[in-house]
Amino acid sequence: MSLRLDDIRELDDQDPLRAYRDLFHIPAHGAGQQVYLCGNSLGLQVRSTADAVNEVLNSWRERAVEGHFEGNRSWTRYHDLLRKPQARIAGAKPSEIVTMNTLTVNLHLLMISFFRPRGDRNRIVIEQGAFPSDRYAVQSQLRLHGLDPANGMVEIPANDERLTDESVLEDYLDQHGEQVALVLWPGVHYATGQRFDLGRIASAAKRAGACVGFDLAHAIGNVPLDLHGWGADFAVWCTYKYLNGGPGAIAGAFIHEQHHGPSDLPRLDGWWGVDLQRRFLMEPNFHPAPGADAWQLSTPPALAMAPLLPALDCFEQAGMDALRLKSIQLTGTLERLIREQIDGGVHILTPDDAERRGCQLSLRVRSGRAHGRALFEKLQAEGIIGDWREPDVIRVAPVPLYNTFEDCWRLVQSLRD
């Protein structure tokens, strides 16, 4: 039996997380609100964000330089406030988490440490159709070591549906693993919405003797993670998508505890990576902070970190298990509505297995790019906000913290019309 609007509204009435929507600013559209389905690109603002930013501004105004050391949230330790919440979301130990820089900066810094080509072991393996920034970073790191990206960057092919099976990567590593220095892989593919089995990928890389790092831009705050348990060497992520940290927000990084402490692992050092107990002694030699903090370079920007604090509080209150359960229901309902009402006109690129995806569905209009782009613009004009990815993909992501089942219904009615 097909879903009706009454069924959809009953799902919203029964949603145990429905109150969290009221914690966010939903942009207006006409006399109502947008159907905002673009949290995979930029999450919405938590209503208490301005208070968190103003607290930093007030401390600056009233304490000036002493704000680094005084107050309930002194700036010197501000990043510590973000450590445990992100560790819980990432499946890591708090000491393995550091909040710093932005995603691609962190990716470069950690590839300095974990891409160490030696002899024939000099390749970096990525997926076909990787996010451009990852490709650029990989290519430039290879050049930095005097290597040709045409030979050193290996792209594991996708199938005709643009999806990549982990077995194809495993087969490559079984045959050529002795030539691979680093496997760099996404948690969720930005264009297709495919979720990867990162534990399986980490195991395959380790069997081949390679390091393994993950780009979690579309996975953090979206799907369950177990970075410590999987044995990943490192991971990086942005916080402005599902974590709702604001445009261009400060990013996060994970470095497994096996790499902490005295090591011959290379690293670019900076003053803020010095152990806090010695930092202000201004010594000539570098004494690394314990854990992932040793990879810090410069003074953390408190104003940039402040918006992330109330956003992470939402995750702490709701819990990732409950958010994941609602996410499966939301995206599953959206998929069902599309198949019931407009399956002939729209192809869903994203896997239909809930364990193989997060919030996002990637849609292609069967009649071609021109019609797809026109449809995307029609949705925008009606206040239904997704995003467009070339050459022909409309991405929509019902986010469990603030989207409703009726949001999914309204999208499908507009698509059908």
Side-chain angles (χ1 to χ4, degrees), residues 7-55:
D7 301 321
I8 295 298
R9 287 175 172 165
E10 184 175 353
L11 289 171
D12 280 324
D13 289 341
Q14 295 174 351
D15 175 17
L17 300 179
R18 63 187 181 274
Y20 284 90
R21 177 179 173 88
D22 294 334
L23 300 180
F24 290 83
H25 290 290
I26 313 292
H29 179 74
Q33 293 177 322
Q34 290 180 354
V35 175
Y36 190 81
L37 297 166
C38 206
N40 58 313
S41 185
L42 178 65
L44 293 180
Q45 184 184 135
V46 180
R47 289 184 179 274
S48 55
T49 298
D51 293 336
V53 173
N54 283 331
E55 182 181 51

Side-chain angles (χ1 to χ4, degrees), residues 22 24 35-36 57-58 78 83 99 153 173 176 193 195 216 316 321 333 336 359 368 370 375 388:
D22 294 334
F24 290 83
V35 175
Y36 190 81
L57 291 173
N58 292 339
Y78 205 101
R83 191 190 308 279
T99 305
M153 185 177 72
L173 292 173
H176 306 286
R195 178 190 178 192
L216 303 179
E316 290 285 272
D321 289 345
T333 298
R336 179 178 171 184
C359 299
L375 175 57
W388 176 266

Side-chain angles (χ1 to χ4, degrees), residues 274 278 281-287:
V274 172
R278 308 184 67 150
L281 298 178
M282 304 301 189
E283 296 172 311
N285 295 322
F286 184 81
H287 297 277

Side-chain angles (χ1 to χ4, degrees), residues 35-159:
V35 175
Y36 190 81
L37 297 166
C38 206
N40 58 313
S41 185
L42 178 65
L44 293 180
Q45 184 184 135
V46 180
R47 289 184 179 274
S48 55
T49 298
D51 293 336
V53 173
N54 283 331
E55 182 181 51
V56 177
L57 291 173
N58 292 339
S59 184
W60 179 19
R61 182 186 66 231
E62 296 166 5
R63 297 186 175 95
V65 70
E66 294 304 321
H68 283 97
F69 310 101
E70 296 180 355
N72 294 329
R73 295 173 179 171
S74 63
W75 308 330
T76 299
R77 293 187 174 274
Y78 205 101
H79 68 286
D80 286 336
L81 302 171
L82 311 175
R83 191 190 308 279
K84 288 183 179 179
Q86 287 185 95
R88 279 187 275 270
I89 295 169
K93 295 184 177 182
S95 63
E96 296 173 320
I97 298 293
V98 60
T99 305
M100 61 182 187
N101 309 312
T102 48
L103 189 155
T104 307
V105 173
N106 287 342
L107 179 57
H108 274 297
L109 289 174
L110 295 185
M111 282 199 288
I112 290 289
S113 294
F114 293 101
F115 175 54
R116 306 305 301 166
R118 293 179 177 85
D120 292 336
R121 189 179 286 277
N122 57 19
R123 297 182 182 181
I124 301 178
V125 175
I126 63 173
E127 83 282 12
Q128 186 180 55
F131 191 78
S133 193
D134 286 2
R135 284 180 58 87
Y136 305 155
V138 166
Q139 290 168 336
S140 61
Q141 287 283 333
L142 287 162
R143 293 190 191 101
L144 190 67
H145 288 277
L147 300 169
D148 183 356
N151 299 320
M153 185 177 72
V154 177
E155 297 177 87
I156 301 301
N159 62 22

